Amino acid sequence: MPPKKKQKVSAKPAGVTWTYKDGNKWLAYDDKDQAVLENAMAKGKGKVVLIKDLTFNSGYDTFYEFDFAAMTQTNKDSNKVRKVRRIEDQPEDDDDDDDDDDDDDEDDDDEKNEKKGATWHVLDNQGIWVPFYDEDNELIESAFQKKKKSFKTKDLSFNKGYDSTYEFDFKSMTQTNVDSDNTRKLKRTHGKPAAWKVKNYGITGKKAAIEPSVASVLAYPATWAKPTNLKMDMVPVPANGAEWKETLVRFTKTLGRKPVVSSLTRVQNYLLWPFYALQREKIESKNGKSNLNEMMLFHGARVKANMDSITSLGFDIRVANTGSCGYGTYFAVNSRYSDSGYVYRDPQGFKHMLICRVLVGKFCPSTGSACKRPPPLNPKQPELGLFDSVVDNVQQPVMHVVFYDNQAIPEYIVKYK
């Protein structure tokens, strides 16, 4: 019987670099090995895989265990463990198709943007570029303008209470926590984070006659107050009451520190609710009540205008950026994640975080950063339909990602320090 053909592995995956730690240095894997690792992680067969087909293993036939949760490589013969990391390369602008006039216009735009200042971003574990807050941005930009190759600091807003040392290397464009040795990619852009263009944004619709049979489906939540406006009411939740305590218990528990909560506001959006309620009925009818999985999850928007767009017009997949789980709307399981750079901070220093109802339904691991909809429940039986959402890790999700605007609705805004 002829031997099975090995699956052909392509060259180094575009936009990604896999490295391993050798002593005090981080070294890149061979291009073929990088493709093997990227393939293994994308298959979603679990967080731990055994791999033999590596260029440095030729002639040895040793199994290497890669743990994509712990980000380690273990030689199963010697038990030697190395740290590994996956870095998404910073994309470069491609202007080859632009004519000379366009190039001149872009140069003028660059000059205007330069005058507006620069914004520094860090690439998080979900593959999302997160802008630094103003004081951190000013500190990094100041060092960059002084032509420093690198600098170390503890004076960062997200480092309060932790006292870790961070090193910023402008040659490699990386940020490294010197204590944990965790390294993230950096990028610098012109101008400040901008508001979305919200023309034709979100879920909109006109009131229609409601059949009695669906009235119960569309009924507002029992916690909502009587409407005083046609479209939306922003209702203050009384401090230390039952709703206040119940809503904030997970927010407080998962923040990683004791917050000072200034206010809790209930978002009663009467135009968005029917779309969400009908989607909930659809998922419950398909999955059964036990697999509806309606969760209260956390979301942040760095720009006030964007936060206002979400509360008034809902979520819109068209303005979503890709992350490690694909092109969708990301919701954090723990408030600490959203707090770490994603939420709006007002001039008085208060942060504003959204607490949202999200229909995660039946979920599965994401197929990767190119994912634009959930995978099929069973590829061999496409008539069964798709999963409802995806996660980064099925056993311990950090993030739930949905791909439909009516699958989530903002319900509370918590203002805190």
Side-chain angles (χ1 to χ4, degrees):
M1 185 175 180
K4 290 183 180 178
K5 289 184 179 179
K6 286 188 177 180
Q7 185 178 359
K8 188 176 180 181
V9 180
S10 62
K12 177 182 179 297
V16 172
T17 300
W18 282 88
T19 61
Y20 62 92
K21 192 167 188 184
D22 184 16
N24 292 321
K25 295 181 179 179
W26 285 96
L27 303 175
Y29 284 93
D30 181 87
D31 286 356
K32 182 182 176 183
D33 297 337
Q34 295 202 41
V36 170
L37 293 176
E38 187 69 10
N39 229 7
M41 193 176 84
K43 282 183 178 176
K45 291 184 178 178
K47 64 182 181 181
V48 178
V49 295
L50 290 172
I51 300 175
K52 228 198 252 192
D53 187 19
L54 298 161
T55 57
F56 58 82
N57 193 37
S58 179
Y60 294 98
D61 207 38
T62 300
F63 272 111
Y64 283 83
E65 179 184 272
F66 287 85
D67 187 326
F68 295 122
M71 292 303 280
T72 56
Q73 164 198 299
T74 304
N75 181 314
K76 297 302 288 180
D77 290 349
S78 67
N79 285 323
K80 182 175 178 61
V81 179
R82 294 182 189 273
K83 290 183 179 179
V84 301
R85 65 185 183 189
R86 177 183 183 272
I87 300 172
E88 292 204 12
D89 302 333
Q90 184 175 339
E92 297 179 359
D93 293 332
D94 184 0
D95 297 326
D96 292 343
D97 295 332
D98 296 338
D99 59 29
D100 292 339
D101 291 338
D102 289 341
D103 289 341
D104 291 339
D105 291 341
E106 288 180 6
D107 289 341
D108 292 340
D109 289 340
D110 286 344
E111 288 179 13
K112 291 175 184 177
N113 285 332
E114 189 67 49
K115 291 177 182 178
K116 293 179 183 177
T119 297
W120 286 86
H121 310 250
V122 63
L123 190 66
D124 77 354
N125 291 339
Q126 303 302 320
I128 299 171
W129 287 104
V130 185
F132 287 90
Y133 283 116
D134 288 348
E135 64 267 37
D136 302 332
N137 193 72
E138 289 170 9
L139 179 67
I140 300 166
E141 180 66 10
S142 176
F144 180 79
Q145 292 294 344
K146 290 174 182 176
K147 308 296 183 185
K148 291 184 177 181
K149 293 182 179 179
S150 66
F151 80 102
K152 293 181 180 180
T153 184
K154 290 184 178 181
D155 190 20
L156 297 161
S157 63
F158 57 84
N159 194 36
K160 290 176 181 177
Y162 298 99
D163 204 39
S164 295
T165 299
Y166 285 83
E167 181 174 16
F168 292 82
D169 188 321
F170 297 126
K171 185 177 180 181
S172 62
M173 289 297 280
T174 55
Q175 165 200 291
T176 301
N177 182 317
V178 176
D179 298 343
S180 67
D181 207 31
N182 186 32
T183 299
R184 300 181 189 274
K185 292 287 290 182
L186 295 171
K187 76 173 180 180
R188 179 179 180 267
T189 60
H190 296 307
K192 298 296 182 183
W196 302 316
K197 294 178 181 178
V198 296
K199 184 180 179 181
N200 301 322
Y201 176 100
I203 303 169
T204 57
K206 295 180 179 179
K207 271 196 169 183
I210 299 176
E211 294 290 333
S213 58
V214 298
S216 60
V217 172
L218 301 181
Y220 299 141
T223 53
W224 284 20
K226 185 177 179 180
T228 60
N229 290 291
L230 181 62
K231 295 181 179 180
M232 180 175 70
D233 284 315
M234 303 292 278
V235 182
V237 177
N240 299 314
E243 184 181 3
W244 173 286
K245 292 178 180 177
E246 183 179 346
T247 304
L248 294 179
V249 63
R250 184 159 180 80
F251 165 80
T252 304
K253 185 177 180 180
T254 63
L255 191 63
R257 56 186 171 82
K258 189 174 181 180
V260 177
V261 177
S262 171
S263 66
L264 180 66
T265 303
R266 189 190 317 117
V267 182
Q268 298 185 179
N269 192 311
Y270 312 118
L271 295 183
L272 294 180
W273 178 258
F275 294 93
Y276 175 84
L278 289 171
Q279 181 70 357
R280 183 174 63 177
E281 178 69 11
K282 175 184 174 183
I283 292 175
E284 185 176 331
S285 298
K286 175 171 69 84
N287 297 349
K289 203 160 192 173
S290 61
N291 283 310
L292 174 63
N293 287 329
E294 183 178 34
M295 297 183 177
M296 299 299 282
L297 301 173
F298 305 101
H299 188 85
R302 279 291 296 272
V303 178
K304 178 67 163 59
N306 294 346
M307 192 167 187
D308 292 342
S309 294
I310 291 172
T311 56
S312 62
L313 301 170
F315 294 100
D316 194 316
I317 195 69
R318 292 172 293 182
V319 297
N321 292 319
T322 183
S324 62
C325 291
Y327 292 86
T329 306
Y330 287 60
F331 296 91
V333 174
N334 298 326
S335 59
R336 182 174 179 176
Y337 184 92
S338 296
D339 178 68
S340 65
Y342 299 89
V343 297
Y344 166 66
R345 190 175 64 181
D346 65 29
Q348 290 72 45
F350 284 96
K351 292 182 175 182
H352 301 249
M353 188 183 299
L354 292 165
I355 303 177
C356 307
R357 286 185 187 238
V358 186
L359 300 166
V360 303
K362 290 183 179 180
F363 53 87
C364 67
S366 167
T367 55
S369 59
C371 182
K372 291 185 177 180
R373 68 173 188 174
L377 288 164
N378 186 339
K380 295 180 180 179
Q381 293 181 278
E383 68 275 9
L384 295 178
L386 308 176
F387 281 94
D388 302 300
S389 63
V390 301
V391 292
D392 56 321
N393 184 303
V394 173
Q395 282 72 39
Q396 291 183 309
V398 172
M399 198 68 57
H400 286 270
V401 183
V402 300
F403 300 88
Y404 300 100
D405 299 337
N406 58 350
Q407 217 164 315
I409 187 170
E411 188 155 11
Y412 294 97
I413 300 172
V414 55
K415 178 180 176 182
Y416 67 100
K417 277 189 177 179

